[in-house]
Amino acid sequence: MELGDPNRVLLLDEVMLGLCGEVQGKEVLDAGCGEGRFCRMLAARGARTTGIDPTATLIQTARARQPDGIFHEAAAEALPLADASMDLAVSYVALVDIPDFRAAIREMARVLRPGGRMVVANLNGFATATTKFWARDEDGNKLHWTMDNYMTERAARAEWADLSIINWHRPLSAYMRAFIGAGLTLEHFDEPMPKPEVLAAHPGMQDYRRMPHFCTMVWRRP
Ligand SMILES: C[S@@+](CC[C@H](N)C(=O)[O-])C[C@H]1O[C@@H](n2cnc3c(N)ncnc32)[C@H](O)[C@@H]1O
């Protein structure tokens, strides 16, 4: 995170902050907060943030980096929070990491006050159903994105840098049914694209037009 993940810095941060809107004085949950980066960004805008993550080292780091923030070492499937206690719930590229995403979505809906919103960024099913990322010709040129068994929910190990994690693949319909089943109403859906000035400075991001890695959503608890 300290090196600046391009997906976040160049694409998702601005979109997610815009979707969160005015957060001054609001109670905001970040479910799957990692080392607390987005909590710090929201707190800098006046939010009262609560971050939860089951990974102990990440929560320790989040506490060290935001001593006045509230952080719980907990899973999103069983939030240690009261009903209707949050104005806003954020899930920033975390649902793909969560084993029981249906329970997590139900729990986030439970802790939202009526009228509260859930702001979500997640990896698209096209990304998580990949078999070998890009198919290439003999010169190494990208031909097309590879994916298969799109409708089959499954866990897959993803490895890069010195990390090895489980990413869950689910089709978009599985996520949408879970949000609708939790009683939420969809207010926004998008597959955000880099802005022209970002594309000009980072031509490699043209790939997003061929294969959009992320979707963003806003759901409201009626
Ligand atoms: C891709 S990281 C995103 C972290 C953070 N939201 C960010 O954008 O930097 C996914 C996070 O989900 C967390 N996670 C894994 N299982 C979880 C669960 N059951 N409930 C909540 N978070 C979970 C991981 O520990 C990790 O911090």
Side-chain angles (χ1 to χ4, degrees):
M1 298 313 295
E2 283 162 339
L3 293 176
D5 169 30
N7 290 319
R8 287 172 172 75
V9 175
L10 300 175
L11 184 72
L12 292 174
D13 283 348
E14 189 178 337
V15 173
M16 289 295 280
L17 287 170
L19 293 175
C20 288
E22 175 59 60
V23 293
Q24 176 72 41
K26 291 193 175 161
E27 294 288 345
V28 183
L29 164 68
D30 185 351
C33 64
E35 55 71 66
R37 179 174 173 275
F38 202 59
C39 284
R40 295 192 295 280
M41 293 172 78
L42 293 169
R45 288 160 176 78
R48 292 148 54 94
T49 57
T50 300
I52 72 99
D53 201 290
T55 307
T57 48
L58 291 175
I59 284 294
Q60 285 159 17
T61 305
R63 287 187 180 126
R65 292 179 174 175
Q66 189 189 343
D68 61 348
I70 300 169
F71 292 99
H72 298 289
E73 185 185 324
E77 293 96 326
L79 292 171
L81 301 170
D83 294 358
S85 54
M86 294 286 145
D87 299 306
L88 181 68
V90 174
S91 171
Y92 195 153
V93 195
L95 285 173
V96 286
D97 282 53
I98 296 179
D100 189 348
F101 72 103
R102 295 177 178 87
I105 289 170
R106 275 198 307 273
E107 277 290 90
M108 285 189 275
R110 175 184 67 76
V111 304
L112 272 182
R113 65 166 172 75
R117 297 182 313 134
M118 193 184 294
V119 172
V120 178
N122 201 28
L123 270 173
N124 273 328
F126 326 126
T128 52
T130 190
T131 50
K132 53 174 184 172
F133 305 103
W134 290 97
R136 294 174 186 268
D137 66 16
E138 56 271 21
D139 297 323
N141 300 310
K142 292 172 182 168
L143 293 173
H144 56 83
W145 186 256
T146 64
M147 52 169 272
D148 202 357
N149 295 311
Y150 176 79
M151 291 308 289
T152 307
E153 294 184 26
R154 59 187 180 276
R157 188 157 289 280
E159 294 182 348
W160 75 98
D162 57 351
L163 295 173
S164 175
I165 62 162
I166 299 286
N167 254 185
W168 290 86
H169 167 71
R170 294 106 183 192
L172 180 60
S173 52
Y175 283 113
M176 298 309 247
R177 280 199 304 270
F179 286 109
I180 293 166
L184 300 166
T185 306
L186 183 64
E187 294 195 340
H188 160 94
F189 184 91
D190 200 8
E191 289 160 319
M193 288 291 116
K195 297 201 301 199
E197 57 269 32
V198 172
L199 285 176
H202 305 273
M205 293 189 86
Q206 291 283 0
D207 280 0
Y208 279 95
R209 297 210 63 80
R210 298 178 67 180
M211 220 305 286
H213 280 61
F214 300 98
C215 64
T216 52
M217 310 179 210
V218 177
W219 295 85
R220 189 181 293 274
R221 179 176 172 184

